[in-house]
């Protein structure tokens, strides 16, 4: 009884001192959309009129049938952090045909702001010969630097179609780490020009504390949602980019070297087990049964009911020479009407440790890839 | 091991009281000696509470015990001066909801610093030897009012906690956002006990009421004037001051 009274007095004394809530200091775009029947025709599907906006991204990307057919003015609407303001204002019309429009979101307390580029892009991957010659160096908040790959089409437009776990690793890696320390980086001695080096690393003491001791190098067609990296890491890898072609096989060149000691997710050595690299491609439906935009995630990338067909290398024997690999998609029926109307997506995944998503693998495993090409069926249009 | 240290300190204090009781018989005339035990409740907290703390959700009792003795000498008719020695713990175990609260986790060579919104469970432990020096004033025969400074030497320190059920923005409010869960692998823990000051200074005031023969009741408020971390320690943004009230009983040995 006395204890209860004392506790009550203590909490009341403290609670009575609670100050008024301060204005929000965050300034994120939480949602973006185009509305109205007049604009439906420009999108392959209604779900594309409201793309997912990730906290970690500074771009908002609308995928349309063709960029050239867009009207001169399209109003885009935004939902931002409560109390924050956006400039230009939500709902104002702009010309997106000549490239991205920059928006600035300012926090409720007026002290913080974020800039976003809002762009409209055509629905097709620009090229299916990936030479990995385009990358930029991103500087993290702790002054670490890591590489981020992208593609450039013949018109010079940049396509941010590749994703990796580098952003997640940057959170827990020692401050000031260089690109070569990160799981995914560019290598200057590619099979031609630069190539991709994927390495399985020890993620750092913090990462270990979070039960994620290793980070496998990965590169995939899709996006990375940092927000989920800790709570539900399998959901942070979002696989797939829109595609309007029917893939048959994937070829490329690789080098592979397994690390010396395979470790489980508790970072214990598993004697005798040799790490393996992995390369696979998945072709899947871009909408779920409710008609919502769909991406594969780490939990279902090889098992989802929306997968149409997939290709996976049988094995990647260790080699320190650039060695060709080839993998074919299994036969499956593809609806060409749907294909022409944004109904499918494809991902292509490279990983230095097959079980990297489960934080299992050997530190030091290294997979290098370059000159990857996807070939397609010739589609005879009626 | 720490537990042993605390036990040793309490035993030592009790032994000192007994020894004091024997010695007290030979002390100068007019000197009074009191042995006392008490229980403290309070907080180690920023003062005032920052706006980043939105609510205190739980406040659990801690083993904040106090054992000690003090000697008193009269100075004039109503006035006096006392000095004492105490073994005490100023602990805290509280849950709070925070918004935009600066925090940092350090693990080996890596650290994660940012702005957290969510739940914080904070545990503090401060076992210390305290020497209070107080001026006293007696309005009547049984009541003594007292006030004065104290100095404490910490011999067992604890400062750790868990941030859960929320999200962290790394660096500042525009930084990368990571959702924080509430199980072992998805919540953030921190421990800064090694950075705590060894010596604390503060002021205290209280009242002794000798209510039955040589026994009496006491109430004291002790207000820390030094933060529990040195000024050079920037990880915990606001200075945290120990502010504790103690209720106790005393026995007048002499």
């Amino acid at each position: 009884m006395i204890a209860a009274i004392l506790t009550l007095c203590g909490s009341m004394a403290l609670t009575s001192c609670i100050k008024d809530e301060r204005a929000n200091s965050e300034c994120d775009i939480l949602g973006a959309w185009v509305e109205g029947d007049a604009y439906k025709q420009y999108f392959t599907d209604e779900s594309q009129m409201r793309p997912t906006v990730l906290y970690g991204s500074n771009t908002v990307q609308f995928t349309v049938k063709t960029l050239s057919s867009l009207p001169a003015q399209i109003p885009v609407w935004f939902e931002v952090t409560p109390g924050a303001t956006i400039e230009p204002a939500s709902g104002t019309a702009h010309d997106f045909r000549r490239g991205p429009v920059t928006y600035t979101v300012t926090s409720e307390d007026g002290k913080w702001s974020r800039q976003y580029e809002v762009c409209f892009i055509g629905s097709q991957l620009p090229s299916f010969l990936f030479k990995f010659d385009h990358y930029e160096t991103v500087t993290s908040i702790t002054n670490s630097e890591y590489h981020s790959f992208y593609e450039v089409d013949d018109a010079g437009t940049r396509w941010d179609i590749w994703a990796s776990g580098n952003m997640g690793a940057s959170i827990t890696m020692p401050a000031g780490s260089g690109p070569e320390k990160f799981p995914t980086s560019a290598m200057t001695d590619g099979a031609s020009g630069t190539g991709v080096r994927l390495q399985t690393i020890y993620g750092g003491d913090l990462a270990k504390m979070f039960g994620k001791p290793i980070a496998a190098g990965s590169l995939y067609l899709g996006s990375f949602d940092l927000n989920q990296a800790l709570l539900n890491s399998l959901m942070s890898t979002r696989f797939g980019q829109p595609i309007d072609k029917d893939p048959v096989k994937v070829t490329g060149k690789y080098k592979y070297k397994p690390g010396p000691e395979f470790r489980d997710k508790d970072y214990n050595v598993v004697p005798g087990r040799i790490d393996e690299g992995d390369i696979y491609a998945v072709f899947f439906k871009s909408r779920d049964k409710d008609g919502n935009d769909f991406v594969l995630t780490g939990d279902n990338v090889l098992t989802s009911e929306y997968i149409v067909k997939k290709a996976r290398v049988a094995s990647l024997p260790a080699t320190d020479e650039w060695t060709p690999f080839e993998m074919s998609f299994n036969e499956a029926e593809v609806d060409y009407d749907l294909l022409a109307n944004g109904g499918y997506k494809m991902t292509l995944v490279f990983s230095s440790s097959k079980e990297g998503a489960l934080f299992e693998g050997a530190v030091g495993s290294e997979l290098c890839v370059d000159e990857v090409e996807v070939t397609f069926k010739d589609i005879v249009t009626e | 091991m720490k537990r042993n240290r605390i036990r040793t300190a309490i035993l030592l204090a009790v032994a000192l009281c007994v020894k004091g009781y024997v010695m007290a018989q030979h002390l100068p005339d007019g000197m009074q000696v009191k042995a006392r035990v008490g229980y403290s409740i309070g907080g180690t907290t920023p003062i005032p509470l920052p706006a980043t703390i939105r609510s205190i959700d739980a406040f659990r009792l801690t083993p904040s015990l106090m054992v000690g003795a003090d000697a008193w000498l009269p100075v004039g008719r109503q006035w006096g001066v006392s000095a004492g020695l105490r073994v005490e713990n100023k602990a805290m175990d509280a849950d709070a909801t925070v918004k935009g609260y600066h925090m940092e986790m350090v693990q080996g060579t890596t650290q994660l610093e940012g702005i957290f919104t969510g739940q914080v469970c904070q545990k503090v432990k401060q076992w210390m030897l305290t020497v209070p020096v107080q001026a006293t004033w007696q309005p009547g025969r049984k009541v003594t009012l007292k006030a004065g400074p104290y100095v404490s030497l910490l011999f067992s320190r604890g400062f750790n906690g868990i941030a859960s059920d929320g999200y962290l923005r790394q660096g500042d409010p525009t930084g990368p956002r990571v959702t924080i869960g509430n199980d072992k692998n998805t919540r953030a823990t921190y421990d800064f006990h090694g950075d705590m000051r060894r010596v604390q200074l503060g002021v205290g005031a209280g009242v002794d009421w000798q209510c039955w023969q040589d026994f009496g009741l006491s109430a004291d408020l002790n207000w820390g004037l030094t933060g529990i971390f040195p000024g050079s320690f920037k990880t915990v943004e606001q200075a945290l001051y120990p502010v504790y009230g103690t209720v106790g009983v005393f026995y007048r040995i002499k």
Side-chain angles (χ1 to χ4, degrees):
Chain A
M1 180 64 194
I2 291 172
I5 290 169
L6 284 175
T7 309
L8 197 65
C9 292
S11 345
M12 274 170 51
L14 284 170
T15 305
S16 63
C17 311
I18 300 288
K19 290 193 175 162
D20 288 341
E21 187 165 344
R22 279 202 295 240
N24 287 332
S25 52
E26 287 165 291
C27 41
D28 301 299
I29 290 181
L30 304 173
W33 66 95
V34 171
E35 62 184 34
D37 289 344
Y39 300 102
K40 251 186 214 170
Q41 56 177 303
Y42 304 109
F43 295 84
T44 52
D45 187 79
E46 224 171 306
S47 66
Q48 303 301 322
M49 295 172 79
R50 187 182 279 271
T52 304
V53 185
L54 301 176
Y55 281 106
S57 173
N58 289 321
T59 57
V60 177
Q61 195 168 290
F62 287 92
T63 308
V64 290
K65 282 178 185 162
T66 57
L67 204 54
S68 53
S69 67
L70 278 190
Q73 298 282 311
I74 297 186
V76 179
W77 300 82
F78 298 96
E79 183 195 354
V80 294
T81 307
T85 53
I86 186 165
E87 182 62 40
S90 176
T92 53
H94 298 276
D95 185 355
F96 292 92
R97 293 173 303 178
R98 275 187 303 251
V101 174
T102 302
Y103 286 77
T104 304
V105 184
T106 305
S107 63
E108 186 181 24
D109 67 9
K111 290 179 188 160
W112 303 94
S113 65
R114 279 188 80 176
Q115 285 201 335
Y116 287 82
E117 290 203 330
V118 178
C119 62
F120 283 64
I121 59 163
S123 63
Q124 305 148 36
L125 282 169
S127 150
F128 293 86
L129 172 60
F130 302 116
K131 303 180 89 169
F132 307 110
D133 290 336
H134 302 287
Y135 63 90
E136 66 177 346
T137 304
V138 179
T139 305
S140 82
I141 245 162
T142 57
N143 286 316
S144 291
E145 291 187 330
Y146 59 87
H147 291 153
S148 175
F149 287 89
Y150 58 92
E151 298 292 325
V152 174
D153 65 18
D154 294 340
T157 306
R158 173 175 163 154
W159 291 71
D160 282 297
I161 54 176
W162 294 109
S164 78
N166 275 353
M167 188 194 260
S170 78
I171 297 285
T172 50
M173 279 172 68
S177 297
E180 73 290 345
K181 299 265 193 231
F182 274 81
T184 303
S185 61
M187 62 194 295
T188 48
D189 48 345
S192 69
T194 55
V196 180
R197 175 187 284 118
L198 307 171
Q199 54 177 347
T200 302
I201 62 158
Y202 172 60
D205 297 344
L206 266 175
K208 192 178 173 196
M209 187 187 88
F210 287 128
K212 299 162 179 63
I214 67 152
S218 66
L219 188 72
Y220 56 92
L221 293 173
S223 58
F224 182 81
D225 183 5
L226 176 71
N227 190 35
Q228 296 289 333
L230 195 58
L231 186 64
N232 199 347
S233 55
L234 289 175
M235 298 303 283
S236 63
T237 42
R238 298 165 59 84
F239 298 99
Q241 294 287 0
I243 190 166
D244 63 352
K245 300 181 182 68
D246 182 4
V248 179
K249 66 173 184 180
V250 181
T251 57
K253 290 179 179 163
Y254 84 97
K255 292 201 258 188
Y256 189 67
K257 176 186 81 175
E261 290 177 319
F262 191 95
R263 289 174 187 268
D264 65 15
K265 66 180 193 324
D266 300 318
Y267 207 56
N268 297 319
V269 175
V270 182
R273 187 160 171 192
I274 305 293
D275 201 6
E276 294 174 83
D278 203 4
I279 300 175
Y280 57 89
V282 184
F283 181 82
F284 61 100
K285 291 196 169 147
S286 65
R287 292 189 277 281
D288 66 16
K289 54 181 180 291
D290 302 319
N292 298 315
D293 187 49
F294 176 76
V295 292
L296 293 169
T297 41
D299 57 327
N300 64 6
V301 63
L302 289 165
T303 57
S304 164
E305 59 182 302
Y306 298 109
I307 292 174
V308 177
K309 56 183 179 176
K310 51 195 174 190
R312 193 175 198 179
V313 290
S315 69
L316 291 168
T319 170
D320 54 7
E321 298 285 328
W322 285 107
T323 306
F325 71 85
E326 181 174 327
M327 56 188 193
S328 298
F329 283 88
N330 59 294
E331 283 296 324
E333 197 178 322
V334 174
D335 179 336
Y336 286 171
D337 255 357
L338 203 56
L339 189 63
N341 287 294
Y344 294 101
K345 286 180 184 169
M346 187 181 82
T347 188
L348 185 53
V349 182
F350 309 97
S351 174
S352 56
S353 292
K354 209 170 199 165
E355 304 299 336
L358 303 174
F359 306 100
E360 294 188 338
V363 172
S365 291
E366 187 177 287
L367 173 66
C368 303
V369 287
D370 204 358
E371 294 185 344
V372 175
E373 184 167 21
V374 185
T375 47
F376 301 93
K377 252 180 209 160
D378 289 325
I379 298 173
V380 184
T381 43
E382 290 138 30
Chain B
M1 207 192 91
K2 279 209 172 124
R3 189 153 292 202
N4 278 341
R5 256 201 283 182
I6 294 161
R7 198 173 297 154
T8 311
I10 292 175
L11 285 174
L12 194 70
V14 172
L16 277 173
C17 291
V18 174
K19 178 80 172 160
Y21 178 79
V22 178
M23 279 170 57
Q25 313 311 319
H26 309 288
L27 286 173
D29 283 350
M31 179 179 268
Q32 290 182 9
V33 177
K34 289 172 181 167
R36 52 178 83 237
V37 294
Y39 182 79
S40 299
I41 190 158
T44 297
T45 168
I47 294 170
L49 279 187
T52 50
I53 294 177
R54 300 312 315 141
S55 65
I56 308 290
D57 308 319
F59 195 84
R60 288 175 288 273
L61 290 181
T62 53
S64 294
L65 301 171
M66 182 276 288
V67 180
D70 40 43
W72 174 86
L73 274 174
V75 181
R77 207 164 60 85
Q78 282 181 301
W79 292 86
V81 61
S82 79
L85 181 66
R86 279 166 207 169
V87 176
E88 61 183 339
N89 181 18
K90 292 179 179 173
M92 186 175 78
D93 184 352
D95 294 349
T97 302
V98 301
K99 177 186 168 185
Y101 188 76
H102 178 265
M103 64 163 284
E104 184 171 332
M105 296 159 58
V106 181
Q107 191 79 18
T109 56
T110 50
Q111 63 190 61
L112 178 54
E113 182 244 324
I115 308 293
F116 178 71
T117 297
Q119 298 292 313
V120 171
C121 168
Q122 175 70 59
K123 291 185 192 327
V124 181
K125 180 183 72 174
Q126 308 169 86
W127 279 100
M128 56 183 91
L129 283 173
T130 298
V131 177
V133 178
Q134 295 180 313
T136 65
W137 183 67
Q138 290 176 300
R141 217 165 49 80
K142 294 191 165 179
V143 175
T144 306
L145 301 175
K146 51 195 181 168
Y150 67 83
V151 57
S152 298
L153 180 68
L154 276 72
F155 57 87
S156 177
R157 302 170 293 176
F159 187 92
N160 57 63
I162 297 168
S164 67
D165 303 287
Y167 63 90
L168 182 80
R169 303 290 305 226
Q170 192 186 16
D172 65 47
T174 65
R177 184 191 198 272
V178 184
T179 299
I180 306 281
N182 63 10
D183 66 31
K184 183 168 74 65
N185 288 339
T186 64
R187 69 192 176 192
T189 58
Y190 54 90
D191 187 338
F192 298 117
H193 77 275
D195 295 297
M196 292 170 79
R197 268 182 207 275
R198 287 273 181 197
V199 177
Q200 293 181 359
L201 298 174
V203 292
V207 56
D208 280 359
W209 175 40
Q210 194 171 333
C211 52
W212 182 69
Q213 295 185 355
D214 287 334
F215 286 94
L217 300 174
S218 66
D220 291 89
L221 179 68
N222 290 300
W223 195 288
L225 296 178
T226 49
I228 64 166
F229 293 107
S232 58
F233 181 74
K234 302 287 183 206
T235 306
V236 176
E237 208 171 26
Q238 298 93 7
L240 304 176
Y241 298 98
V243 176
Y244 285 78
T246 310
V247 291
V249 295
F250 65 82
Y251 173 70
R252 191 177 144 187
I253 299 170
K254 178 173 181 293

